Every structure is written in C-alpha cells, then in structure tokens.
Amino acid sequence: MVMQIVNADAMVVKLNSGEQKTIHLSSIRPPRLEGEVNQDRRKLRPLYDIPYMFEAREFLRKKLIGKKVNVTVDYIRPATPSTNVTPAFPERTCSTVTIGGINIAEALVSKGLATVIRYRQDDDQRSSHYDELLAAEARAIKNAKGLHSKKEVPIHRVADISGDTQKAKQFLPFLQRAGRSEAVVEYVFSGSRLKLYMPKETCLITFLLAGIECPRGSRNTPTGVQEGEPFSEEATQFTKELVLQREVGE
C-alpha cells in the first residue's frame, strides 16, 4: 500500500510484512530546475517552486495514496558520495510500480511530468519497461505535454502561515466565516498536530485536532534531545496512516 508520495519519482510503501520502505520509480527523472537559479536555495520549496513538480506529485497522490500497488524491483542504485558538483545520494531501490495494469512511471512520462534517463549502451540497470518509457516520452514531446510545452510554466504562490502566529490569527476569522473547508494533509507532526494545504486559499496552516491531547514526541532542546512520552510514536503513526496526503474537510 502507498503511504506517502515523497516527490515525483519516490514514494513510501507499506509491505505485506508491515515494514515501510522508500522506493523510486525506475529510469525516470522528476522535474528539476534548469540553468542558473536566482532564488536563494535555502528558501526554495521544491514542491511549489520547481515547474511541474506540484502537478507530478498531485498526479501520484490522487492515483496512489492508500491504494494497493504491484512493485517489481528492477535494480538497486548504490549510494554515491558527494562531490564538488553533486550532493551525496543514499542507496535507492528502483522499481516498476503498477496499479490496475497501468505503469505509473509510463503514465507520468506520457503526461510530460517526468523525463526518461538515458544510459550507456553497456548499462543494463534500467526499467524492465524501458522501451515503453521512451515511447511515452516521444508522445509527450510530440503533443507538447507538461515539461515539453512551449506555454508558460504553472506558478504556485503558496503562503506558508504555519509558523507565523500573527498571520495565523489574522486568517482565523476568515476560516471560521468560510465554514467547512477542503484541505490536503501535507505533514503529520504528532497524533493531533498536522500541516494542511488549503488549495482554495492557496496557503499552508498548522491544524490541531480539537478536544483531544496526544502524547508528545521526542524533540530537540538546547540541552539535548528530550525523550518522547509513551505511545507518542504509535499515535503519530496512527494519524499518518489515516490522513497523510489525503483530502480532508475541516
């Protein structure tokens, strides 16, 4: 079962054993920034600032979250150390993921939301459906889909008021007047504390579940790591499995 979409080519799946594992889609490259980046990388929010990353994540989220999928491991990409040009990468399990007979990587590429990695001729560590991926990319280029489009790239101006008390207080009356609102759970801090993305209002807020109190998890303090309360991890995991990256009403 798919528990979380990490980015446009990676997801967390829950195996039949109950173990959770991060896997990457074989032989595809997610959207990325090209050329020089004028924006301060410390302030860069990849999901919203990299063109088509949000669209790719949303395609995967809507299609896969909470669903059972078939995973075929194609190859293991070993860890690589950092260099002057590239950061270090941990070991990656690269797989073909299908649902209802649909190859998810192929679907992403056909919509222009990912590109296909080119390999040396003697490199056989690639997707077991590599030819289909190349054909899907050719169709996307021909039809000018997504990353191959000549149109202006979509822009997502999302205000993050989750850590701004003043802005949150200003926003609260508006939220109360609006009545029921739709949101996507972007992050689970604890069993009762969430970060929500509100598409209509295009903002991120911190949301606390009313009427309950959950055990506090471990946290960093000036004197070191403060140990979490009993059952804090279980409460957080329960809430994650219930609502993470799912659409909710508040």
Side-chain angles (χ1 to χ4, degrees), residues 41-233:
R41 282 194 175 272
R42 289 172 298 179
K43 297 179 181 178
L44 182 71
R45 298 180 301 172
L47 181 61
Y48 307 114
D49 297 334
I50 296 178
Y52 293 103
M53 180 68 86
F54 182 78
E55 285 74 14
R57 197 291 298 263
E58 283 296 272
F59 172 79
L60 294 176
R61 183 185 70 79
K62 291 176 180 179
K63 202 163 192 67
L64 299 180
I65 283 294
K67 304 285 181 61
K68 289 187 176 181
V69 295
N70 294 312
V71 177
T72 303
V73 176
D74 292 320
Y75 57 95
I76 305 293
R77 198 169 91 177
T80 55
S82 61
T83 67
N84 293 334
V85 181
T86 59
F89 284 102
E91 181 181 273
R92 291 186 175 190
T93 300
C94 299
S95 310
T96 294
V97 176
T98 61
I99 182 171
I102 297 171
N103 181 340
I104 293 301
E106 184 181 347
L108 260 183
V109 171
S110 69
K111 291 180 177 294
L113 299 177
T115 54
V116 181
I117 297 171
R118 267 42 180 194
Y119 297 96
R120 298 190 314 271
Q121 206 164 7
D122 61 346
D123 188 351
D124 59 358
Q125 285 207 325
R126 60 184 70 185
S127 168
S128 50
H129 296 270
Y130 189 68
D131 290 343
E132 290 97 318
L133 294 181
L134 289 175
E137 186 175 60
R139 291 194 302 273
I141 293 172
K142 181 181 178 181
N143 297 320
K145 293 284 189 73
L147 293 161
H148 313 290
S149 173
K150 304 301 181 189
K151 298 177 183 177
E152 286 190 20
V153 299
I155 296 173
H156 300 283
R157 293 187 174 91
V158 178
D160 189 349
I161 60 175
S162 60
D164 191 320
T165 306
Q166 193 61 37
K167 283 185 179 179
K169 286 180 179 178
Q170 292 171 358
F171 184 64
L172 180 60
F174 169 78
L175 201 58
Q176 290 171 325
R177 286 195 302 272
R180 181 181 171 87
S181 299
E182 301 298 321
V184 175
V185 179
E186 287 289 2
Y187 193 81
V188 175
F189 296 104
S190 70
S192 59
R193 186 166 173 257
L194 318 170
K195 178 182 275 193
L196 304 183
Y197 167 64
M198 306 186 69
K200 188 178 177 182
E201 294 80 7
T202 60
C203 68
L204 293 162
I205 65 170
T206 297
F207 187 84
L208 299 177
L209 298 177
I212 67 168
E213 187 174 319
C214 281
R216 287 189 174 188
S218 60
R219 51 183 174 163
N220 294 321
T221 67
T223 56
V225 178
Q226 182 176 328
E227 192 174 334
E229 296 175 354
F231 299 106
S232 60
E233 289 186 12

